[in-house]
Amino acid sequence: MTWLMLLGALLCMLRVGLGTPDSEGFPPRTPHNCPHKCICAADLLSCTGLGLQDVPAELPAATADLDLSHNALQRLRPGWLAPLFQLRALHLAHNELEALGRGVFANASGLRLLDLSSNALRALGRHDLDGLGALEKLLLFNNRLVHLDKHAFHGLSALSHLYLGCNELASFSFDHLHGLSATHLLTLDLSSNRLGHISIPELAALPAFLKNGLYLHNNPLPCDCRLYHLLQRWHQRGLSAVRDFAREYICLAFKVPASRVRFFQHSRVFENCSSAPALGLERPEEHLYALVGRSLRLYCNTSVPAMRIAWVSPQQELLRAPGSRDGSIAVLPDGSLAIGNVQEQHAGLFVCLATGPRLHHNQTHEYNVSVHFPRPEPEAFNTGFTTLLGCAVGLVLVLLYLFAPPCCRCRRACRCRRWPRTPSPLHELSAQSSVLSTTPPDAPSRKASVHKHVVFLEPGRRGLNGRVQLAVAEEFDLCNPGGLQLKAGSESASSIGSKGPMTT
């Protein structure tokens, strides 16, 4: 028993003296092949800010994101990326690279992002970027680039964002974009360079989606009338590259730095510019109106048949056959674009890109689509019911006209009044009225002929001077005042009165 106790105490002493793997005496485990002082985490490798003058010799093969920025790298060996077959992003910013060389990126076919900003690069050769067929974003700003080879970006068929700002470029070819394909390119940053000569027709021929991402501010642009009207139109259309940096677009009036003029703030300089030469620079976009729930078809009209046709949606999605990712837009075999059920998301600018041996690579056709909700249709009008109602009303009116007494109609329409009885003239003429009247005054037939009245014209009295005096033998009916025939002159009046009464 004593022997067992002594053995246990000895084991405890040995454990305290040697320590455990979890104690501070053991160094932390490092991942396999992780360079010294670098940080490895899963597929990330960061060697930033270590003052490295050369790339570490051994790099983990599982690296997908490699960060070598903020070091002192001066050159890159050809084939140095061969072990990194999973590499997707490479960060080389803030180093001292002066040139790249052929074959530097020969084994980086899967690379998506390459950051070479803030180095000392002065030129890009034709083969410096070979092997980067899948590259989507290239950062070259804040270097000392003076020259770009005519085909410097020839193999970058998938490039969508190119940043060349803050360099010393004095020219740039917008005709062929130094080998770039305008099909995918959405952002081209040329700001803060020394661009003093720009081909305005080439600039105007760029696709609309690339104009929206073309940054030319802080360059000594020429004070050209056509360029002014072109940029003014882009500003009015709301292109973000011009709208967001409108204050920084400048030109040199006399080709000296002291004559800098802001395009959108000193419009007096361009007051004498005529807009006529700038009208034919850009092909006007077609405006289409579509209703929600209806179908829409867009055709890519080109001057000659195209070999390949692609579309760019308002959401900057490249559309090829069979269509969009969500299935709402289809690209048909003839190159036309079809939308079966138009929705609000389909509003905006659609751009057709046509390529072929006889076409320029950036020949485009633009459609500006406006989407509206349809107006509610009015209820169907029942013409049968209205026709029947009209016939019934017409029949009632005809019956009233045929069978209603005429007096009733007159009294209802005219609200007849009776001429007030004046005792003195009527009493004086009562005897003469009784003699000349064919019907006795109290005869029953008098009431049956209510529309006939006897009128006397008495000219020979004193004070009339040949004028006509109207004497009414009975109540005068105002419903028919047009039946009276008055004649001036004493002779004519007396002759009429001698012959007899005039009835109306």
Side-chain angles (χ1 to χ4, degrees):
M1 189 69 176
T2 305
W3 180 80
L4 291 175
M5 293 177 64
L6 291 174
L7 182 61
L10 180 61
L11 290 174
C12 291
M13 293 175 63
L14 289 174
R15 183 177 181 182
V16 171
L18 295 177
T20 61
D22 297 334
S23 64
E24 296 180 357
F26 286 86
R29 294 179 181 179
T30 58
H32 182 65
N33 291 337
C34 188
H36 181 58
K37 294 184 180 182
C38 294
I39 299 176
C40 299
D43 59 351
L44 304 179
L45 174 58
S46 176
C47 299
T48 181
L50 299 179
L52 301 177
Q53 296 184 356
D54 201 356
V55 179
E58 295 185 1
L59 299 173
T63 302
D65 192 315
L66 176 58
D67 189 357
L68 293 171
S69 59
H70 295 275
N71 281 288
L73 301 178
Q74 297 182 356
R75 58 183 297 272
L76 299 173
R77 300 188 308 271
W80 69 285
L81 295 175
L84 308 180
F85 59 92
Q86 297 183 10
L87 190 63
R88 297 294 179 268
L90 177 59
H91 305 273
L92 294 169
H94 294 279
N95 278 281
E96 300 176 5
L97 297 173
E98 296 182 357
L100 295 177
R102 188 169 188 169
V104 172
F105 304 106
N107 303 101
S109 59
L111 197 63
R112 300 289 189 273
L113 169 65
L114 176 58
D115 185 1
L116 290 168
S117 61
S118 300
N119 277 276
L121 298 174
R122 297 193 61 83
L124 280 181
R126 181 166 187 170
H127 302 286
D128 285 351
L129 300 175
D130 286 351
L132 299 176
L135 191 66
E136 299 176 357
K137 187 175 292 187
L138 176 59
L139 284 68
L140 288 167
F141 62 87
N142 196 25
N143 274 275
R144 300 175 185 174
L145 289 173
V146 178
H147 173 71
L148 298 176
D149 187 83
K150 185 178 181 180
H151 302 283
F153 309 111
H154 178 69
L156 310 182
S157 58
L159 194 66
S160 60
H161 296 79
L162 175 59
Y163 298 89
L164 292 168
C166 298
N167 279 284
E168 301 175 9
L169 296 174
S171 63
F172 189 87
S173 176
F174 293 99
D175 183 18
H176 53 80
L177 302 175
H178 293 272
L180 279 175
S181 172
T183 304
H184 295 84
L185 193 61
L186 301 177
T187 301
L188 177 57
D189 180 18
L190 292 170
S191 61
S192 302
N193 275 275
R194 297 180 180 178
L195 298 178
H197 175 71
I198 292 180
S199 176
I200 300 174
E202 294 177 2
L203 194 65
L206 294 175
F209 59 88
L210 181 53
K211 294 174 185 176
N212 189 62
L214 178 61
Y215 296 88
L216 295 173
H217 56 279
N218 283 336
N219 276 286
L221 301 174
C223 290
D224 186 86
C225 291
R226 294 186 303 167
L227 181 60
Y228 168 73
H229 285 294
L230 185 64
L231 294 177
Q232 188 72 24
R233 187 170 185 269
W234 291 3
H235 187 267
Q236 293 173 355
R237 292 174 60 185
L239 300 185
S240 59
V242 180
R243 179 194 59 200
D244 298 341
F245 297 93
R247 292 177 53 87
E248 300 179 34
Y249 274 83
I250 59 175
C251 68
L252 298 184
F254 304 105
K255 297 183 180 182
V256 292
S259 63
R260 303 176 69 181
V261 175
R262 297 188 183 274
F263 268 101
F264 303 104
Q265 290 185 349
H266 299 85
S267 58
R268 281 184 168 182
V269 179
F270 306 99
E271 284 182 352
N272 296 327
C273 289
S274 174
S275 60
L279 294 178
L281 289 176
E282 287 185 309
R283 184 177 180 180
E285 60 191 22
E286 293 190 24
H287 294 269
L288 299 179
Y289 296 90
L291 297 178
V292 174
R294 304 290 179 86
S295 60
L296 181 64
R297 187 87 172 266
L298 304 179
Y299 294 90
C300 189
N301 300 319
T302 57
S303 56
V304 294
M307 182 178 297
R308 291 180 298 275
I309 293 178
W311 293 82
V312 178
S313 69
Q315 290 75 30
Q316 304 298 325
E317 179 185 358
L318 182 65
L319 303 177
R320 292 177 175 173
S324 60
R325 290 189 295 266
D326 59 1
S328 63
I329 305 176
V331 179
L332 304 181
D334 62 350
S336 62
L337 186 144
I339 304 176
N341 186 15
V342 176
Q343 300 296 326
E344 291 183 275
Q345 64 184 10
H346 298 136
L349 192 66
F350 285 88
V351 181
C352 167
L353 304 172
T355 58
R358 299 175 59 189
L359 285 174
H360 199 275
H361 71 277
N362 62 355
Q363 184 167 351
T364 63
H365 194 79
E366 302 173 7
Y367 292 93
N368 194 350
V369 178
S370 300
V371 177
H372 304 274
F373 285 93
R375 295 181 180 179
E377 298 182 359
E379 298 181 359
F381 193 69
N382 193 347
T383 57
F385 175 75
T386 55
T387 304
L388 181 61
L389 181 61
C391 292
V393 172
L395 181 60
V396 171
L397 293 177
V398 170
L399 292 175
L400 288 176
Y401 180 78
L402 292 177
F403 297 101
C407 185
C408 297
R409 294 198 304 267
C410 179
R411 285 178 181 175
R412 290 178 182 174
C414 303
R415 296 187 179 271
C416 303
R417 295 183 183 179
R418 299 297 181 184
W419 191 270
R421 295 178 180 269
T422 306
S424 56
L426 293 179
H427 284 297
E428 294 178 359
L429 299 174
S430 60
Q432 190 176 358
S433 174
S434 299
V435 174
L436 296 176
S437 178
T438 59
T439 305
D442 298 331
S445 62
R446 181 74 174 273
K447 295 182 179 179
S449 179
V450 294
H451 294 283
K452 293 188 178 184
H453 304 275
V454 182
V455 180
F456 301 92
L457 299 175
E458 187 179 5
R461 299 179 67 89
R462 287 181 293 176
L464 296 177
N465 195 16
R467 293 174 295 174
V468 178
Q469 180 181 1
L470 178 63
V472 183
E474 297 182 77
E475 298 176 356
F476 176 62
D477 190 358
L478 290 178
C479 294
N480 191 12
L484 292 175
Q485 297 181 3
L486 302 181
K487 299 207 174 188
S490 58
E491 297 179 358
S492 61
S494 62
S495 64
I496 294 176
S498 63
K499 290 181 181 181
M502 179 177 61
T503 60
T504 60

